[in-house]
Amino acid sequence: MKRIATVLLLASLLGACSKVDLKHYDQLKIGMSQDEVTALLGKADQCDDLLGTRQCSWGKEGRNIKVQFLAGKAVLFSAAGLE
């Protein structure tokens, strides 16, 4: 029984560590470097490069933050499903 309680506690703590939320999204600013965004949100789940731009996303479909970078600086960001 103690093991189950420990596993549930650890799972809830890991879920609480997610930085894909409105609090962190509101801290994003145009012109932030990719390193600054990574320091704020953690390592991106996916990044795609296209025509000199890079788009990175954090989270999953339905609940995510996406940031587009040009010359290493944030130029556009969006979010879905944040609370």
Side-chain angles (χ1 to χ4, degrees), residues 51-54 68-75:
L51 299 174
T53 65
R54 171 173 271 206
Q68 189 165 359
F69 298 93
L70 179 62
K73 302 290 183 181
V75 294

Side-chain angles (χ1 to χ4, degrees), residues 9-54:
L9 176 63
L10 288 174
S12 68
L13 289 174
L14 288 175
C17 292
S18 175
K19 294 182 178 182
V20 180
D21 58 26
L22 195 54
K23 174 186 167 189
H24 288 89
Y25 178 77
D26 287 341
Q27 294 177 44
L28 291 171
K29 304 287 183 233
I30 297 294
M32 291 177 82
S33 70
Q34 188 169 350
D35 288 340
E36 290 173 313
V37 174
T38 299
L40 177 65
L41 299 176
K43 185 179 178 203
D45 294 311
Q46 179 178 350
C47 288
D48 296 311
D49 296 314
L50 179 65
L51 299 174
T53 65
R54 171 173 271 206

